[in-house]
Every structure is written in C-alpha cells, then in structure tokens.
Amino acid sequence: MIIERSSNWRENFIERFDNDGPWDSWTLYKMSYDIEKMNLIPEFSGLQAPKFLTNLQLLPHQVEAAQTVIEKMNGKAILADEVGLGKTIEAGLIMKEYMIRGLVKKALILVPASLQNQWVTELNVRFFIPAISYRKNTPIEQYDVVVMSMDTAKKSPHREKIYEQDYDMIIIDEAHKLKNHKTQIYEFVQSLKKKFCLLLTATPIQNDVFEIFYLVSLLKPGHLGNYETFQSSFSTTKNSLEDEKYLKELVNQVMVRNRRQDTGIEWTNRQVETIPIQFTQEEREVYDMLYELKSISSVFSSSFTMVTLLKEMCSSKEATFLTLNKMLQKCITKEESDYIEKIIEKLMKLEINAKAEKTYEIINRANDKVIIFTEYRATQVYLQWYLYTKGITSVLFNGKFSKSKRDWVKQLFRERDQVLIATESGGEGINLQFCHHVINYDLPWNPMKLEQRIGRVHRLGQESDVHIYNLAIEDTIEQKILSLLGEKIDVFEKVVGDLDDILTRKA
C-alpha cells in the first residue's frame, strides 16, 4: 500500500490568503469551546465524575459520601456503610473523581481473593477505569490500576514489587481484616505510602474498641493519640458518657457511615427471633462429660480446646468427633484415652440432633429459600445429609471455592435447591437478595459476623422482609455467647453508631 501526502491544504491556504479569509469556522470553534468547558473544573467543590458514568445509577448517599471524603477528609477515610449500601461504588466514585482532577494515576486495590474479579469487573464496566487482576507474573509496573488479593500482596516477591511502585491511592476492602496490628498484612499496609487511602468495612469494630484505634492509625497516625493515651482515655471498662461522645466525634472525622434508615430508600424489615433449644437427655450427658475433660488431665485444660469442643457439641456430633479423635492421639495416660473413648462411644450412639430438628421445623414453616450458617464443615455435610432424608434439597457453599464455582453454587440455589448451607466464609462476597430467611445455626463470638451474614440478603434489591433465626441451646456455652454478643454490640454502638437488629432486642 502506497501512502501519499495530500497537497490540497496548500491550494486551500493560498486561496484563503489571496481572498483574506475565511480564517475560522464557527462550528469548529464552538465544538472546541464546549469540550474545553466540559473539562474545566472551576472549583474544588462538587463532583465531576457522575456526568461521565453513564453505566451507573448513583444513589444520593453514595454521592454525598464521596463528596465528604474528598472535600473534608482529604481522601483518607474509612467507608463504613452498613452491609449492602454500596461501599465499592463509593470507593470507585472517589477514585474516578481524583483521576478526572489529575490527582490520581496509579492505584492499588487490596481485597480478599474471592472478591478480586468482582472488583475488576466493577471498575472496568461501571467506572471505565482500566483495572487488571494481579497474577503471579503480572508486570505490575506496566499497569496503573491493579487489584490484588491481600494474601498475595503481603508475601515476597509481590510485596517488594509493590514497594517499588509509587501509588497515588490505596484502597483496602474488608479492612476489618487489619484489626490485629501484629499481623503481616497490617504491617505491610502500614508501611505503604498513602497519598490517598480508603478503608472499606461495615464492621470497623468487631470485638473491642482498640480495633478502631488501629484502623484510624493506618490512615492518620496520632489522630487518636498513641496506644497508651488511647487506652487510658477510652478504656471501655470505665467510659463516661463524655468520653464516648468525644471518641465518636474523633472517629467521625475520618469515617463515613450510612445506615439503611438514613438513605431515603424504603427498606424491608428485619424480623429477628432468638430460638432457645433443649438438648435431649443423651446429648446433655455427652456435653457434661466433655465439660469434665479439663479435670481429667492438664492435656485438656486448654481453654481454647474446651471452648471449641463445647461449641462443636452444640453443633453436631460429627464436628465433635473430629476434635476428640485428634485429642485421642495426644493422650499420655490410659486413663485419658479411656475417658475420651468412652465419650466417643456415647457420642456415636446419639440418634437425635435437637438443633437440626429445630432447623428442619423452621425450613418447613418458611416454605421458601433458606440460608443456614454453620461454623464447621463437618456440620455442613451432616446437615445436607439430614435435610436430604427429610426430602429437602440443599447445596453447600465454601470459602475455598473459585469464583466460577461460587457463581455456579449461587445459580443452583436460585434455580434448584431450597437451602444453601454456608460456612462462615459464606458471609463475604456473595449477594443473595432473592432469599428471605437466614438461620444462624452456630453463633459466632463476633456480632459483626452476624451482620455480615444477614447482609448477604438484607441489601439493595431485597424486596421482602428478612427473617433471621438465631439458634441457642439452653444452659450451654451458647448462652454465654449470646450474652457476650450483646455486650460487644453495646461497645460498637457507643463508638460507631446504631446497628440494625441482629439479636432479639431486650425490652
């Protein structure tokens, strides 16, 4: 193919020169003027990004959150909206705004591995941000916006590759995973240069008030003082009302939190029911024998092991057996092994699981899609078998599933099976607004895990009331867990703000 230069421009130029014009085109000038005007940002208030996002219907609270972070928090903030209100959208909007203003070019987004592809899709499709998903051999220096799993980022050689880059913005999803300042991921994030930084979590406090201290310290070191000052001023055991208000005020200077009731959106209700369950006599005998284990030998005196065993017994004999079998290998004396074997013998003779029977009753009464959350995989498998014997179809959900398998399981649950049985990891990264019933078969120590579970169904797009059933066996460790959950919710509400119902409210 031959390419020749056109000489028409010379003839046209000589003609205009001889005739003294025309030298301009009003149409072209107007088009050029309109383009420059559109790109002009006369002041640093208000958002420019929304008019460019044609694939996204932004909600008022999302726009307001983004504006607050940019105008009042200098791009360093905790986005702590309740589950399902669109923290990802807010983060994407903030990043897009900074990109339009020329303040952000390179960005690193750290997320749980299960959410990596979801983030890449959201940024590319909704925000027209060319993000890529990091894999082992990705030449990170060649890409401006990289989405990487937290577990990968904190390890060599990936960690060193990140340190070599000069990122303008860091975004961390599920930031409550940074609550422990002694972990590798916390130290890694702490050492990153953070011109702009967003921490996304619906649960900035999960167990105690010190977790918010460490999160805020990642954004603005010293904002809450040093550890000793914070401990003496805001210890939850001796808080006065004035201390609580002051701490809340300090936290709100770096945190945006929208609640469902404040969004102007009409939300469906939560119907929370705590259901007490009685052990059968045979189950109670095994539970009591487990409780006595600590007096048999120092090998079994570990409080963690005992708590685990007692919780497992409140879940299923299958989960309990696995732990007992491991303990059997550690026995030193014949007395110890004989006692455990005696427990196992009685355990294996159990024919009734009182909690499983109550679960079947609830599912039968609901006559609808139901999610069951359990903490143990052995219980998960048992429940699937038990429900099958009752003619109820179910599918299992596991946090180790790949994205494609997660999507496949979700489709099976939507189109075929009545029940989804999920372990704790099912409380993150799966949205199931078509389901209206959640059974917390095993109660976690952490109230925010309950909120994460419920948030899988009670989120934007839910059209029906959501029914939550918290199961607790009377006169067992589960009664203590219920009491502790109430205390932790109280701490959360004092520092962060009110929480939607996750337990039955006391009168």
Side-chain angles (χ1 to χ4, degrees):
M1 183 173 66
I2 300 174
I3 300 175
E4 295 182 356
R5 291 186 177 183
S6 172
S7 60
N8 290 344
W9 68 271
R10 182 177 299 170
E11 296 170 5
N12 291 335
F13 175 76
I14 292 172
E15 183 181 347
R16 287 196 300 273
F17 184 81
D18 291 340
N19 298 324
D20 195 23
W23 297 110
D24 55 26
S25 165
W26 173 252
T27 302
L28 291 176
Y29 171 80
K30 187 70 166 61
M31 288 173 63
S32 178
Y33 176 84
D34 288 342
I35 289 172
E36 288 299 320
K37 185 178 178 181
M38 186 172 65
N39 289 331
L40 186 65
I41 303 175
E43 56 184 355
F44 207 83
S45 62
L47 300 182
Q48 303 299 314
K51 61 188 176 187
F52 296 99
L53 302 177
T54 55
N55 288 353
L56 185 59
Q57 184 66 47
L58 291 166
L59 297 172
H61 75 270
Q62 295 167 342
V63 174
E64 186 178 342
Q67 201 163 336
T68 298
V69 170
I70 291 171
E71 295 180 4
K72 298 180 180 179
M73 298 179 178
N74 299 317
K76 289 187 175 182
I78 300 171
L79 298 180
D81 286 3
E82 289 184 327
V83 177
L85 292 186
K87 290 182 290 297
T88 305
I89 299 297
E90 293 169 1
L93 180 57
I94 292 166
M95 178 160 60
K96 185 70 173 182
E97 184 70 23
Y98 277 129
M99 285 180 161
I100 290 172
R101 294 176 183 273
L103 296 173
V104 167
K105 182 182 179 185
K106 289 178 71 70
L108 174 67
I109 298 99
L110 300 177
V111 303
S114 60
L115 302 181
Q116 200 169 340
N117 291 334
Q118 182 178 315
W119 263 91
V120 171
T121 302
E122 291 268 319
L123 292 175
N124 278 276
V125 174
R126 295 194 175 197
F127 294 95
F128 308 117
I129 295 174
I132 62 106
S133 184
Y134 179 84
R135 302 296 178 222
K136 283 187 178 180
N137 297 317
T138 301
I140 194 172
E141 68 282 354
Q142 297 180 19
Y143 299 94
D144 287 335
V145 182
V146 178
V147 181
M148 188 183 300
S149 101
M150 290 186 191
D151 288 336
T152 299
K154 69 184 181 183
K155 299 173 184 173
S156 293
H158 319 289
R159 179 179 64 232
E160 287 74 22
K161 288 182 182 179
I162 293 171
Y163 287 152
E164 290 173 3
Q165 308 307 308
D166 192 12
Y167 287 108
D168 303 306
M169 172 170 271
I170 307 291
I171 297 176
I172 301 169
D173 196 8
E174 304 293 347
H176 48 265
K177 294 181 182 296
L178 302 173
K179 62 184 179 180
N180 186 347
H181 68 291
K182 295 179 180 179
T183 58
Q184 191 178 9
I185 185 63
Y186 185 95
E187 292 174 358
F188 166 70
V189 172
Q190 189 177 39
S191 61
L192 287 174
K193 290 177 286 185
K194 297 181 280 292
K195 176 181 173 184
F196 301 115
C197 184
L198 302 176
L199 304 179
L200 281 59
T201 173
T203 56
I205 293 179
Q206 297 199 357
N207 291 297
D208 62 57
V209 74
F210 295 103
E211 291 168 357
I212 195 72
F213 169 79
Y214 289 117
L215 283 184
V216 172
S217 296
L218 283 176
L219 291 175
K220 291 189 174 182
H223 182 71
L224 297 179
N226 59 31
Y227 180 83
E228 290 73 19
T229 303
F230 183 84
Q231 186 179 37
S232 62
S233 301
F234 304 115
S235 172
T236 55
T237 57
K238 57 180 182 181
N239 265 356
S240 68
L241 190 59
E242 290 72 22
D243 289 336
E244 293 164 10
K245 285 182 178 179
Y246 181 52
L247 177 57
K248 197 170 184 177
E249 183 181 320
L250 286 175
V251 170
N252 284 338
Q253 291 173 11
V254 292
M255 184 178 75
V256 176
R257 176 174 170 79
N258 288 304
R259 297 196 61 221
R260 294 178 185 87
Q261 64 187 40
D262 302 328
T263 59
I265 301 169
E266 190 172 336
W267 290 87
T268 59
N269 296 319
R270 288 187 181 186
Q271 308 290 344
V272 183
E273 186 178 355
T274 299
I275 301 175
I277 298 168
Q278 291 286 347
F279 262 150
T280 63
Q281 182 178 341
E282 293 77 13
E283 286 176 311
R284 174 62 65 183
E285 287 175 3
V286 176
Y287 184 89
D288 290 343
M289 289 180 73
L290 290 171
Y291 192 79
E292 292 302 319
L293 259 177
K294 59 184 178 183
S295 62
I296 299 298
S297 168
S298 60
V299 176
F300 311 125
S301 61
S302 164
S303 59
F304 176 78
T305 303
M306 283 305 306
V307 166
T308 299
L309 267 174
L310 296 177
K311 283 195 70 183
E312 287 172 339
M313 185 58 206
C314 290
S315 184
S316 70
K317 68 179 183 183
E318 287 75 12
T320 313
F321 170 77
L322 292 177
T323 301
L324 282 175
N325 200 41
K326 290 177 184 176
M327 293 176 68
L328 198 56
Q329 316 307 318
K330 299 178 181 179
C331 289
I332 299 175
T333 66
K334 189 172 185 304
E335 179 190 10
E336 294 168 358
S337 59
D338 286 348
Y339 190 80
I340 289 184
E341 286 175 352
K342 185 178 179 182
I343 296 176
I344 291 175
E345 184 181 350
K346 289 184 75 70
L347 188 71
M348 291 300 98
K349 288 180 180 178
L350 293 177
E351 296 181 357
I352 297 174
N353 183 319
K355 191 187 278 188
E357 290 194 343
K358 179 58 70 174
T359 300
Y360 169 66
E361 282 181 34
I362 295 169
I363 295 170
N364 222 18
R365 190 169 72 240
N367 194 28
D368 197 358
K369 300 282 185 184
V370 178
I371 303 176
I372 301 173
F373 281 102
T374 175
E375 293 201 340
Y376 308 105
R377 290 191 191 176
T379 300
Q380 193 182 27
V381 174
Y382 161 72
L383 284 173
Q384 186 173 46
W385 169 83
Y386 174 76
L387 293 175
Y388 176 78
T389 66
K390 300 291 186 179
I392 293 174
T393 59
S394 63
V395 63
L396 304 183
F397 185 87
N398 190 301
K400 293 187 179 294
F401 289 175
S402 65
K403 181 182 184 299
S404 57
K405 190 168 184 179
R406 290 161 72 94
D407 292 341
W408 178 65
V409 167
K410 180 178 175 179
Q411 186 173 345
L412 288 178
F413 181 41
R414 180 193 287 272
E415 298 177 1
R416 188 191 73 181
D417 298 311
Q418 184 182 353
V419 176
L420 175 76
I421 308 172
T423 53
E424 195 63 65
S425 54
E428 293 180 352
I430 185 170
N431 303 331
L432 303 164
Q433 294 94 322
F434 58 86
C435 179
H436 319 129
H437 298 266
V438 176
I439 298 176
N440 289 308
Y441 185 90
D442 296 320
L443 292 172
W445 293 101
N446 185 341
M448 297 304 111
K449 287 187 177 180
L450 283 178
E451 175 61 26
Q452 288 279 0
R453 293 174 180 182
I454 298 166
R456 298 306 100 210
V457 299
H458 197 224
R459 58 195 301 115
L460 287 171
Q462 178 58 262
E463 297 177 352
S464 302
D465 286 353
V466 174
H467 300 267
I468 299 110
Y469 312 90
N470 298 320
L471 308 188
I473 299 176
E474 293 190 319
D475 302 317
T476 68
I477 194 169
E478 291 189 332
Q479 288 290 314
K480 295 179 181 178
I481 293 174
L482 270 177
S483 175
L484 189 59
L485 286 173
E487 293 175 11
K488 290 180 178 180
I489 289 171
D490 187 50
V491 171
F492 181 96
E493 293 188 330
K494 284 177 179 177
V495 179
V496 178
D498 291 342
L499 190 68
D500 258 0
D501 291 350
I502 58 177
L503 297 176
T504 306
R505 293 286 184 177
K506 295 179 181 178

